[in-house]
Amino acid sequence: MKKILAAILAAAMALTLSGCAGGDEKSGSDQLSKPNGGTVNTPISGGASGVGVNDPNTPGGNGTDHAQQNTGSGKLTRLAKIGLFRDSESANCTGEGCYNFKRLFEKVDFINLTYIDFALRREVVLCSDSSCKHDSELCNSYFSYNEIFPLTEVFVCGDHLFVLSTETDDDGSMAAGIHHGDGFEPKPETRRPTIFRMDLDGTNREKIYEAALGDIIEGQVFGDGDYLWFVTKTPTVDIYEETGAVYYHSKNRALLKLSVSTGTIAERIPLDDYNNIRLSIDGCAGDKIILSGIAYPNGTSAWDNINILAPSQNFGDNPSDYWEFRKKWEYVVFTLDPDTKELKEVCREMYDDLGNIYFQGDWVYFLIDDKLTRRNLLTHDTNESEDVNTPSEYRFDGFFLDKMTFTRITENWSDDATYLTDIGGTELIKSAYQLGFISDFRVLGVSGDKVVAVYETEKIPSVNNPGAYNIGEQKIGIIMLDDLFGGKNTVEPITPIGQMVSDF
């Protein structure tokens, strides 16, 4: 692998500075229209013939005879999670470098794959053609928005590089109503959510899975030996006629097991609502998929309560009935064993009591009245909740990799530093960087004892909006985990590609 990447980098180094060229139907009048047909997602190589299908309302039901299927390692690993910020578990790095997507040109409808070489401390375009400008399909790094969606994630599995591209997922959300001006006609969608596979140097790209037109792939991928696990579904939109409220949901939802080597679906596990609980995927632990959802009173569904749950079209309405209703919700955590199809409840808490919920390793953490407790996700038959120590006079903010993060409580919250400690520890170390969703420190990838991150961002004051600013140059670097956790500012800068001149 080092020889392959060295060949790319040797050729690419000369060009990067100057550029390289060349659900079930609802009854009654509350439903706007019947959902589209029941097309099942199929792989490019031909389909999942012979794969059994479970009862769509029972994730733990009988399905494909797993004794006849090839099995993986028995332990799941999260490889990708699409979101506003890169998840620290996302596997976009090797021991030698880190892959990312980047917009290299202004005002274009494509993005490019880039590679950060740890040894050279340099970012390059994932292309070895010395005549390439990286602006057409002839370039290995080029991904056109005519083919992919803006939601993309790159990850490494085995000796290959993968790209997940999928549509925005609104499942479970509600709106006051959909309003379009006269004559509005949405552009017909021709793109399909896709998983690409290629060599580590970006060559030999191929589609190993493509969803049915109109379907989406949910934004998490798990690995198990030769297999990738991910969820597909058909989005649905229902309108409550009485108020015009809109409910975004889905049907044909299923967890798929895709063989990387053959590009075929080895298994399909239906994952529709369970006892009227919409199951969200939160991660994995051991050989289990972790899911959670809200249980509404008397076993009712979100649709059953849309008159309370949906936002009002009248601005300023006091949703007192909503807040009273929310006191009756329960937050439920489940595990799903993909091998046995067993869906098992781990625990449940009153939703309105929860300050926050976190999933870390084999545990689910609940913050209730500033008290942190946790429950083991794999041994929940025998283990009860246990308390987790947190230092006094500090606010618990969550996790960064395997550390707990805190903010010191001061008057007016004047201390914006991040403090770190081991899980359950009380000896705090002040990080050299502010970590979290609102910080300038943004993780691009994690490889062993290294973190690749944006560690400094130029902020340009806005001329037209006093107090606001525009984002300028972002500095990328590598920092050793021991230094990051030890409060040392020892970042090693990476030479970025920068923005190339556009002829468009």
Side-chain angles (χ1 to χ4, degrees), residues 66-308:
H66 58 272
Q68 300 178 7
Q69 302 294 327
N70 294 324
T71 58
S73 64
K75 181 176 176 61
L76 294 168
T77 302
R78 184 158 65 188
L79 300 173
K81 179 182 179 182
I82 288 179
L84 293 176
F85 301 91
R86 181 176 297 284
D87 188 272
S88 59
E89 298 177 56
S90 296
N92 63 318
C93 296
T94 66
E96 291 80 33
C98 184
Y99 298 90
N100 279 292
F101 275 107
K102 192 169 186 177
R103 188 184 296 277
L104 301 180
F105 304 89
E106 294 181 345
K107 301 177 181 179
V108 295
D109 59 355
F110 62 87
I111 53 177
N112 297 82
L113 264 175
T114 65
Y115 179 75
I116 295 174
D117 180 77
F118 294 155
L120 298 177
R121 297 294 193 266
R122 181 177 293 275
E123 181 184 33
V124 298
V125 183
L126 196 67
C127 175
S128 60
D129 184 351
S130 61
S131 66
C132 184
K133 292 182 181 177
H134 310 312
D135 59 2
S136 76
E137 64 277 359
L138 299 177
C139 176
N140 290 331
S141 75
Y142 175 95
F143 281 79
S144 169
Y145 283 141
N146 291 325
E147 181 180 25
I148 67 167
F149 294 92
L151 292 181
T152 57
E153 184 63 279
V154 56
F155 59 94
V156 179
C157 184
D159 294 329
H160 288 92
L161 191 64
F162 296 81
V163 169
L164 165 65
S165 172
T166 189
E167 178 62 291
T168 302
D169 187 359
D170 296 321
D171 199 345
S173 65
M174 295 186 181
I178 300 177
H179 303 282
H180 296 301
D182 293 340
F184 172 83
E185 291 187 13
K187 180 182 177 181
E189 185 60 77
T190 58
R191 299 169 296 181
R192 299 186 182 198
T194 302
I195 296 178
F196 299 87
R197 180 184 63 192
M198 63 206 80
D199 293 339
L200 292 176
D201 60 0
T203 59
N204 298 317
R205 184 194 306 177
E206 59 179 330
K207 296 179 180 179
I208 62 169
Y209 180 83
E210 189 174 51
L213 186 63
D215 282 8
I216 68 171
I217 301 173
E218 290 188 4
Q220 296 193 66
V221 179
F222 303 92
D224 172 19
D226 178 58
Y227 299 104
L228 299 181
W229 291 90
F230 54 92
V231 172
T232 63
K233 60 191 176 187
T234 305
T236 60
V237 179
D238 295 302
I239 296 181
Y240 186 59
E241 288 187 349
E242 184 177 329
T243 63
V246 178
Y247 179 47
Y248 299 95
H249 200 25
S250 63
K251 64 172 186 174
N252 302 328
R253 188 170 184 243
L255 179 66
L256 302 188
K257 181 180 183 181
L258 174 70
S259 169
V260 171
S261 58
T262 65
T264 56
I265 301 299
E267 198 152 14
R268 181 183 187 276
I269 304 175
L271 203 62
D272 290 330
D273 294 359
Y274 176 73
N275 292 338
N276 281 328
I277 300 174
R278 190 183 69 86
L279 299 171
S280 297
I281 292 185
D282 296 297
C284 60
D287 59 351
K288 307 293 193 299
I289 299 288
I290 308 305
L291 309 101
S292 66
I294 296 175
Y296 296 108
N298 303 317
T300 56
S301 68
W303 177 258
D304 294 331
N305 299 288
I306 190 171
N307 60 320
I308 300 176

Side-chain angles (χ1 to χ4, degrees), residues 415-435:
D415 186 353
D416 60 0
T418 297
Y419 294 82
L420 301 164
T421 188
D422 293 330
I423 295 176
T426 55
E427 184 177 342
L428 292 168
I429 294 178
K430 184 177 180 179
S431 174
Y433 299 97
Q434 183 184 9
L435 310 175

